[in-house]
Structures are given as C-alpha cells and as structure tokens.
Amino acid sequence: MNMLSLSASSRLQWRTNMNLGKLGLLSLLLVSGFFSGCGGSGSGSKVKPNPEPPPSTGGGNFVYRGEKPASTEDITKFQNELWVNIAREDRCGGCHQTQAPTFARGDDINLAYAAVIDGGLVSLADPAASRLVIKVAGGHNCWTSDPVACGDIVTGWINKWAGPRETTANDVILKAPDDKEIANSKSFPVDSADFKATVHPLLLQYCAGCHSESAATRQQPYFASEDVDVAYQAAKSKIRLDNPAQSRLVQRLRADAHNCWSDCGPNSDAMQTAIQAFADGLATVEVDPELVISKAVGLGDAFVLSSGGRIDTDIIAKYEFKTGKNTIAFDTSGIEPAADLNLIGNVGWSSAWGIKLADAGRAQATVSGSRKFYDLLRGSGEYSIETWVIPDNLDQGANDENPARIVSYSGSTDERNFTLGQYDYNYVVLNRSDKSDANGLEVLATNDNDERAQASLQHVVATFDPVRGRRIYVNGEFTGDTDPLAEAVLKDWDNGYALVVGNEVSGNRPWTGSVRFLAIHKRAMSAGDIKTNFDVGVGARYLLLFNVSELIDQPACFHNDPTDSPDRGDIGDCFVVFEVQQIDDYGYQFAAPFFTVLGDGGLTTPVPLKGIRIGVNGTEAVAGQVFANLDTQLSSDAAVGGRQQLSPLGTVVEAKSGPEDDVFFLTFDQIGDKHYTRVAAVVPPPAEPADIPNQPTLGLRDFAEINASLAQMSGISAVNPQVSATYEKVKQQLPTLTNLDGFLAAQQMGITQLTVAYCNALVGSSGSTANPARTAMFPGFDFAAAATVAFDSDTKRAQIIEPLLSRLHANEVADGSNPHSKLSQQADPAELRLELNQLIDNMTSCGSGCAADRTLTTVKATCAATLGSAVMLLQ
C-alpha cells in the first residue's frame, strides 16, 4: 500500500487498522518540513518506514504507554502538562507521532521532548510566542472552530509546564513597525441628521424586529431604535466611513446572510449604498499641515504584552471571550471536557474581549461539559469563582436570596451547586453544603452599607473552603463579610446541572452587564493570589511604537536597510512608545510613555520635547490629552535599560472605528527644532443660569437618619434585636435621598413598620416586666388599668401624649409671654394634641368590651402616630 496515494482520512483509518492488527504492514509516512501536513505526492522527499505508533484512546483518558519512562523531572512535566494533551490522534498525534518533528510520538517520551526542545517548538519564557502556538492559532489542525481558542489552550498547557511566567514591557524586544503616513479621514458628526436621512430608514424598516428596545425579541445594539439618536450611537461602531463595503452592517448581510429581508446580495448592496450616501455627505477632515506629527500605527502593528503573572495553577475552566463572533465562547483551560458556553438570546461580543448580556440572554454550557465541576470540585472540597464584570445597573435581582445570576452551576431557580449573583449594590454567593438547603441558602451577601457592586469594571472573586466557608473579594480586597455557614463541606451536589452565565438555566433570573473574564479554580484562592490576579488586570495590552526619527534627525535614529530595498532607504530607530489597552468598545487607555532608540547608538545631544497629544484617524482626540503639558528633554543619559520614562500618567481616548481600523499618531508642540504654535482655545462665556422653579426649603431624613431619630426619641437602642431585625427588612424601602419630591407612599409604609417596632419594644406586652425606657418616659401611668379607666381624664392622657410630644418637638409653643420659645416652622402642638386625643377616643370606643391589652395597644398606637409622623420625617 502506498501512503502517498492516500487521503488524510484514509491514512488515519489505515493507521487505526494497523493498531487493531487488521493490517500487518508497517506504515510509510513522508518526512517533510515542520507542520507541512500529513504527506503529499510529487514532493520528491525520501520515504522511510517508522515504527507503528502506540494505540491511542483518542479521548480524555489518553495516557503515555511507551516503554521508556521520562528520564528527568522536566520531561515528566512536559509529559503530564503538554504531551498528554497534544499527542491524541484527533490533535497533533494524527501526524506527528511519526512525521518529523515527532513531538507527539508515543514510544519514547524522551525523544518527543527532544523534538520539542531541539526543534525550538516551545518558548518557556514566553509560551504565547511558541511555534506550536503560532501554528495552531494560524489554523493548522485546530480542533475547535476558532483557531485563537486553540492557540490559547496550547499556551495554557505550555504555561503549566513552564511554571509561573510574566511578560512585562521591559521583557519585550522591540522591532520597528512598518511606517504609515496619516491620511485625511472622515469623522462621525455630533448631529444625527445625515444618518437619519440615509442609513436609519433602512435599519428601521428591516432590523427593528430585533435591534430595537421596543422589539418583542429585542437584542442589542439598538441601531434600529425609533429614537434616531439612540440608533446613531449604536450604529457608529458598525459603519466604516472610509470603506462602506467593509461596514459590519453590510458584511452581516453579504458574508453571514444574517436576517436578509429578501435576497442577501441586493440587500447588502442597498445597505452599502445607504452608508456610502451617509459617508459622501461628510466633509473630509484634512490633517493640519502645520502639525508636528509622528508616523502612524495601529493595534495590528503593536506588540502584545501577555497577561503573565496570573495565578492559574488550579484553573479548570477559563473564558477570555476572545473569539468575537459566532455563538460559542470557548473554555480555554485545557481541562477536559471543555465546558464551552453556548450564547443564547441577547448576548453580544465586546471587541475588548468579553460578552454583553441583556434582555434575559445567557451563556450556557452543556451538562456533559459541566460534569468536570462536579467531579473536580467535589474531589478538592473547595473552589473559587473569578470574574471581571461590569454590571449594567444597580437595580438587579429580587432580593439577596434570589439575586440576578452572574455565574451559576444549577438546575433551576431553587436548586443549585453554587451561584455568584448581584442584588442591587450587593454581591451574593449561594453554595450547597451539609449546612445549606438545596438552594444553597443561607446566603453570604456583602454588607448593604458598603455598596460593593458598582456599574464599573470590577474584579469579583468568590471562594469556598471547608474552614472559612464562603468569602467575597472585590477589586483585590476581602469584603470582610463572614459566612453564616462556615465550617461546612460540599454535599449533595448534582451532576446533572449546567454552568450558566448571566441568567438561570430556566432563563428567568437575568443579570445584565458585561463579563470580561471568567475562571473556575479547583481550590480556594488565597488573598495574595487574588490581589495578584487583580493587579495583572484583564484583556490585551499592547506596546504602540510611534516613529519620531525624522523629527529628531540625529544619526542614532537611522540605520541602513540591510535588504537594500530601493523604496525604503534608511530605517528609523527613534520611537516614543505607549502602553495601550482597549478598555471597552468605546475607548483605549494610553499610559506610561517612554522614549527608546532601537539601534546600538544613542542621542548625541539632548532633544527638547514639549506637549504630546494623541491623534486618532487624522484628528487629535478632543479629550484625554493629559500629556499636553509634558516638558522634558530626550537624552541617552536619562535612559534606564535603553528606555527613558516620559510620564507615569495614563488617559482614555475615544475609539472611532474600532480596534481593527483605528490608526493612531502623536503630535508635538516641540520636538528637537520642530515647533508647532498652538493657538489657545477660546473659552466660551458661562451659560446663563437656568430659571428653575423654586425648590422646597424642607427635606427628608434618609434611612439612617430615620433609624437614629426613632432610637433617640424612644430611648430604645438601634441594636435591640426586635428593632434591628425590622430595620434590616425595611431598610431598602426607606428614603435614600433627602429630596422631598421623591417621597413615595411605599416609603411611608416602611417608616410605619419601623416606628411600630420601636414602640413595641418601648411599651412591651401584657405580663412583661416594664423596661427602664418605658418607666422613664411614662412615669405614673397605669398600664395595667383597663382602657376605659387608663384614659378617662385629660391628666391621664397627658401622661402619654406630653412625653411623646416633648421628644418630638425641639421647644413647646409659648403661652404669649415668650413668643420666641418655639421653632418657626414646626407643627403646632395644640393641633397634634387634638389629633392624638381623637386617636385615643377611637381606640377606646369599645368601652367595657375592649380587650384586656387595649391599654397597651392604645399607647403603642399613640407612640407610633407621634414618632412616625411627618414632624419626625421632615428636616
């Protein structure tokens, strides 16, 4: 049998038959260059026989079956962390068991190790730069639909072999990017009128069924909103003014056949025509020829700084959300089975690496893929849920026992293994253990007063271990909240549950926001490890090199092109470098600029440098120019390690066309002998103050002030168990703002409940011993008397009413001799006495038929009506 005549699938079947003993011939494989494929005809390469490869299971239980064990500790690590994952037949083992380089061979692990090391296939110092990673990430034999995910998985395996590594800006050997000139460009106008006349009608007619906030199956972005300004802001990132044909709105129809309304070809042409009309109506922004400008550069020309330094030793699921398209977010932990997340409903991709969840959308793994959480976490007895999230708002979840689900491993709304959720300003963790119910209750929640959850990018980690129980960390800090079910163990977990992000598996406990990163660890991370991962950050970081060689014009800034290319001449070596990170779909962070010379020489004389500004797509950014006041000198003497730090500051610059298309440049007020005279902007006069209606002179007490006031007036401590329990229940219902216009009837009900709790604690119940606070407030009143006797005179009634009014009022109304003895805006006590006496009349109108405890009830009612009145609430 001639292997050169077989297809790849035929060769695989032939090899399998050989392993099963159905063929007794030795395989002949073409030995070609690295990763050149499994063979081919007409190559002229010498064919030589190889030993039959060892049998492969092809599954997650693949093991080394060679006769020769690893001869060193490093070879053992290579075997356990990398080889066992890549040597399977459905991965690299399908070819590279026998085809050079034979790094997947199964007969001798030492020779497989030698093939990797001697062939330079792996960089232990920078795993992401390994040839193995680059080849797989480029699409070579990737076993998922996304080559980037394959590359990340292999990077993770190499990282585990290499041990903790970190790539910083100082580790990167910089190389000069190709020069780019800054072209004139077009920018989106502030006003949406042109968009309304060209693109919006088409979107409104054909896309509003999904991409509108009023759609039955609404899905972000809302570029088909009836509100043209909302639609315009959402559509900007989907439109290419410089190349309308490459606009995402066009490509979704033309390339993806996404919801075409008739024929995708003409439909995409119509969309392109509308965008072209919009672009044609915009004036071209010409680059000011007087500006002192660097060469231009884009993120595609940048050096990527790996997010090294993370503590990922015990990760069993990892989601970086890099794919950016289609409906699967890949688990790149490399731990089988892969718990890939299927995007269901309104889930969109963020170009800054992440997913955005809205309108009950969710990302959910299969039950089979989630099985590893059951197996591995029950085995370890502990775990961590690590996330980078951006909550859309702080009004999510029903209550702390029923939060909006950020990450959940569960089977329904009331059965789970674990959940990390959000309720308003709180983060909440539920965990199933020997001390909880099937729903993971009692919850661990962050303290209400701390308001830990915020609508901004946050690093949120939940851990569990059998000693301390659950702990919550926000932005690298332990929140201090202690688990009410500490010293519990994982018990009664269900292996039929699924991992879900942004909702419950039933789809009716939605969380809205963005998830930038998610990892599940099979141990409780230490506080130090969590702080380390927080400091590393999230997402890709880049080094952008801006060529300023022509502006400085010193010999050190140029060297001859070794290729003697006639169209290049001397190559620039002087650069101003920024560390850049895309923080979301709307902006980039520029930070820590430095100057460097890539060649061997240095500057012969100092170079003045003043006023750096960042430009995007032909224009200087309107905001964020924190380096405009820079005033220094470039000098080789000031450089440390070949790099002169220019500023420790950072800033955010608006994204224009997105990370694939935005082109950046720098302008200078002065660099060397090049100057730009910048005309100071004219500061507009302040606007006339708005003529607003008269505002109330009174305000409300907020929830804390109400509680403190009731405690002071009643003499009952706020930590009294009866009172504090009620306060915790109604606190969210009480006013949070002092604005009088915002008062609601529901807030008065909360005030009433809290006041009744204080008055109950003050007055007590039948048969109870009178507490000191009651005796001090109502001395001489007979609480044991029947209601018809206890309140049968004005004197007896005054024993209840007057002490309450004295606590309520700052000063009593004068009798005329001292008209200044009362506050001018307080309620008239005479009217209050009348109201309270009428209340007592009503309460005691039952006469001899009154219940035995009617006296106590009447005092409590009078107390609550007084202390919980508007007199207390207003300030």
Side-chain angles (χ1 to χ4, degrees):
M1 179 179 293
N2 186 353
M3 277 297 291
L4 299 181
S5 65
L6 295 178
S7 66
S9 59
S10 299
R11 290 194 301 273
L12 177 59
Q13 182 61 51
W14 179 78
R15 187 182 297 111
T16 302
N17 291 340
M18 287 281 289
N19 295 336
L20 295 175
K22 293 182 179 179
L23 291 175
L25 300 176
L26 293 176
S27 63
L28 298 177
L29 290 175
L30 176 66
V31 180
S32 61
F34 175 48
F35 291 114
S36 61
C38 293
S41 59
S43 65
S45 300
K46 183 179 179 180
V47 178
K48 63 180 180 180
N50 280 286
E52 177 184 335
S56 166
T57 64
N61 58 342
F62 183 74
V63 295
Y64 174 61
R65 298 178 180 176
E67 296 181 359
K68 295 184 179 181
S71 58
T72 69
E73 181 180 350
D74 194 50
I75 296 177
T76 299
K77 290 182 66 177
F78 159 75
Q79 174 185 321
N80 294 336
E81 303 297 352
L82 179 61
W83 182 91
V84 75
N85 291 302
I86 62 175
R88 289 166 39 172
E89 291 242 357
D90 56 349
R91 292 178 184 167
C92 304
C95 293
H96 292 283
Q97 290 196 49
T98 53
Q99 176 183 309
T102 55
F103 58 85
R105 65 187 302 159
D107 58 329
D108 190 333
I109 194 65
N110 303 285
L111 294 179
Y113 174 86
V116 169
I117 298 299
D118 296 343
L121 306 185
V122 165
S123 170
L124 297 180
D126 186 6
S130 299
R131 289 176 63 196
L132 278 176
V133 173
I134 294 171
K135 199 70 177 181
V136 173
H140 178 81
N141 202 33
C142 174
W143 55 92
T144 75
S145 60
D146 180 18
V148 173
C150 282
D152 289 340
I153 293 170
V154 177
T155 300
W157 291 332
I158 299 173
N159 264 317
K160 290 181 179 179
W161 169 22
R165 306 279 170 160
E166 181 174 6
T167 302
T168 66
N170 290 329
D171 296 327
V172 177
I173 299 175
L174 299 176
K175 297 180 182 178
D178 292 335
D179 288 345
K180 287 184 180 179
E181 300 297 334
I182 303 167
N184 297 332
S185 62
K186 295 183 178 182
S187 296
F188 288 97
V190 176
D191 187 79
S192 62
D194 292 336
F195 172 79
K196 180 180 180 180
T198 53
V199 182
H200 190 237
L202 208 58
L203 297 174
L204 199 60
Q205 181 176 359
Y206 296 113
C207 304
C210 294
H211 292 283
S212 170
E213 60 270 60
S214 60
T217 56
R218 58 186 183 274
Q219 182 171 333
Q220 293 181 331
Y222 297 139
F223 50 69
S225 170
E226 292 184 3
D227 185 331
V228 67
D229 292 325
V230 171
Y232 181 46
Q233 293 302 320
K236 283 182 179 180
S237 62
K238 312 298 180 185
I239 292 175
R240 288 276 302 271
L241 297 177
D242 61 327
N243 190 352
Q246 292 301 313
S247 297
R248 187 62 178 155
L249 291 175
V250 175
Q251 289 300 311
R252 284 291 274 164
L253 296 167
R254 182 170 294 158
D256 301 339
H258 176 76
N259 287 347
C260 303
W261 50 91
S262 56
D263 188 330
C264 290
N267 295 166
S268 63
D269 291 342
M271 185 66 70
Q272 180 179 336
T273 300
I275 294 175
Q276 187 69 59
F278 173 51
D280 289 345
L282 304 179
T284 299
V285 179
E286 297 185 357
V287 180
D288 185 349
E290 300 298 321
L291 287 172
V292 179
I293 300 176
S294 72
K295 298 295 184 181
V297 66
L299 292 185
D301 308 305
F303 285 85
V304 179
L305 297 177
S306 69
S307 55
R310 278 187 48 84
I311 308 299
D312 287 348
T313 309
D314 293 291
I315 275 184
I316 61 172
K318 183 178 181 181
Y319 308 91
E320 294 182 280
F321 305 106
K322 293 182 181 180
T323 301
K325 59 184 179 181
N326 300 326
T327 59
I328 297 178
F330 291 97
D331 170 9
T332 58
S333 66
I335 303 298
E336 300 290 346
D340 298 335
L341 299 174
N342 296 291
L343 309 187
I344 302 170
N346 195 352
V347 183
W349 290 97
S350 168
S351 59
W353 296 0
I355 55 173
K356 296 180 289 186
L357 301 118
D359 304 323
R362 68 185 189 271
Q364 184 171 325
T366 62
V367 171
S368 59
S370 304
R371 175 62 188 259
K372 66 179 175 181
F373 304 120
Y374 174 85
D375 293 334
L376 297 176
L377 300 186
R378 284 177 70 250
S380 67
E382 54 186 280
Y383 64 85
S384 299
I385 308 167
E386 182 187 4
T387 68
W388 281 91
V389 295
I390 309 174
D392 266 2
N393 60 75
L394 303 173
D395 183 20
Q396 304 204 53
N399 51 55
D400 58 359
E401 293 187 354
N402 197 9
R405 283 27 168 196
I406 300 175
V407 182
S408 191
Y409 181 27
S410 51
S412 67
T413 56
D414 54 9
E415 290 187 358
R416 71 200 63 260
N417 293 332
F418 64 67
T419 291
L420 169 65
Q422 178 195 346
Y423 169 54
D424 292 349
Y425 287 90
N426 304 320
Y427 287 115
V428 178
V429 180
L430 296 91
N431 175 67
R432 193 167 185 170
S433 71
D434 63 331
K435 292 187 177 182
S436 77
D437 62 12
N439 199 22
L441 300 176
E442 179 176 357
V443 304
L444 170 66
T446 54
N447 189 288
D448 288 340
N449 293 334
D450 293 340
E451 297 185 349
R452 295 285 183 176
Q454 295 293 324
S456 60
L457 180 62
Q458 292 186 298
H459 185 236
V460 182
V461 179
T463 69
F464 170 82
D465 69 72
V467 178
R468 298 176 301 181
R470 296 163 289 182
R471 291 165 73 92
I472 301 174
Y473 297 80
V474 178
N475 291 342
E477 295 182 353
F478 173 47
T479 63
D481 303 288
T482 56
D483 191 346
L485 303 180
E487 299 184 356
V489 296
L490 301 181
K491 187 179 180 182
D492 296 331
W493 275 31
D494 194 318
N495 60 18
Y497 294 166
L499 184 73
V500 60
V501 177
N503 209 326
E504 190 56 82
V505 292
S506 54
N508 58 351
R509 295 294 186 272
W511 177 83
T512 60
S514 297
V515 180
R516 295 283 306 278
F517 177 87
L518 168 63
I520 308 296
H521 304 249
K522 64 178 181 181
R523 69 177 179 90
M525 299 176 70
S526 68
D529 288 352
I530 292 170
K531 181 62 164 60
T532 295
N533 285 2
F534 169 67
D535 290 340
V536 169
V538 65
R541 294 178 297 131
Y542 307 88
L543 288 182
L544 281 184
L545 281 70
F546 296 92
N547 193 332
V548 294
S549 302
E550 295 179 359
L551 303 179
I552 296 176
D553 198 19
Q554 289 196 19
C557 291
F558 296 95
H559 71 272
N560 291 327
D561 184 356
T563 64
D564 293 326
S565 173
D567 59 348
R568 289 203 65 181
D570 290 339
I571 298 176
D573 281 337
C574 292
F575 293 86
V576 173
V577 184
F578 276 83
E579 184 173 320
V580 179
Q581 183 175 20
Q582 185 185 5
I583 55 176
D584 54 28
D585 289 337
Y586 308 103
Y588 308 96
Q589 176 179 282
F590 280 70
F594 63 86
F595 172 77
T596 188
V597 179
L598 299 187
D600 296 331
L603 298 179
T604 55
T605 58
V607 176
L609 177 66
K610 295 181 180 180
I612 297 180
R613 288 173 172 80
I614 301 166
V616 186
N617 297 347
T619 60
E620 291 181 332
V622 176
Q625 302 290 7
V626 301
F627 308 105
N629 295 323
L630 186 68
D631 188 350
T632 188
Q633 284 190 331
L634 304 179
S635 171
S636 297
D637 295 336
V640 177
R643 301 176 182 187
Q644 178 184 349
Q645 197 71 32
L646 301 179
S647 172
L649 300 179
T651 188
V652 175
V653 174
E654 180 187 7
K656 297 289 188 179
S657 301
E660 295 181 358
D661 303 302
D662 282 336
V663 177
F664 309 96
F665 63 95
L666 302 179
T667 68
F668 304 90
D669 290 348
Q670 180 184 358
I671 181 168
D673 59 359
K674 311 294 192 299
H675 296 262
Y676 175 70
T677 303
R678 192 173 294 275
V679 179
V682 178
V683 179
E688 291 292 329
D691 186 13
I692 60 175
N694 292 332
Q695 299 299 300
T697 57
L698 300 176
L700 302 175
R701 285 182 169 86
D702 64 23
F703 60 95
E705 293 171 331
I706 291 171
N707 191 42
S709 297
L710 293 175
Q712 181 67 29
M713 289 188 296
S714 65
I716 300 298
S717 171
V719 297
N720 177 287
Q722 181 179 353
V723 168
S724 61
T726 302
Y727 179 60
E728 289 300 320
K729 289 181 179 179
V730 304
K731 181 166 58 174
Q732 300 284 354
Q733 192 175 341
L734 301 178
T736 57
L737 303 175
T738 59
N739 185 359
L740 192 63
D741 294 337
F743 187 67
L744 303 173
Q747 293 173 336
Q748 181 59 57
M749 291 302 298
I751 294 169
T752 300
Q753 292 179 58
L754 183 59
T755 307
V756 169
Y758 271 101
C759 291
N760 277 334
L762 171 64
V763 177
S765 58
S766 298
S768 62
T769 303
N771 61 61
R774 189 179 83 176
T775 303
M777 182 174 289
F778 308 117
F781 184 79
D782 187 0
F783 285 91
T788 53
V789 176
F791 300 102
D792 62 0
S793 69
D794 291 341
T795 301
K796 293 179 179 179
R797 294 186 177 199
Q799 289 178 311
I800 298 298
I801 294 175
E802 297 307 319
L804 291 171
L805 289 182
S806 68
R807 303 291 181 100
L808 185 66
H809 283 93
N811 281 294
E812 180 59 275
V813 175
D815 57 6
S817 60
N818 184 6
H820 303 293
S821 62
K822 77 177 185 72
L823 298 178
S824 61
Q825 291 184 330
Q826 74 176 5
D828 188 343
E831 294 183 5
L832 295 180
R833 290 189 183 95
L834 178 61
E835 293 286 343
L836 293 175
N837 274 294
Q838 289 176 347
L839 172 61
I840 292 173
D841 288 340
N842 290 334
M843 294 293 296
T844 58
S845 62
C846 49
S848 60
C850 289
D853 61 351
R854 175 62 67 157
T855 298
L856 292 174
T857 303
T858 301
V859 175
K860 292 176 184 178
T862 307
C863 170
T866 305
L867 303 187
S869 66
V871 179
M872 177 278 298
L873 181 60
L874 295 176
Q875 63 175 351

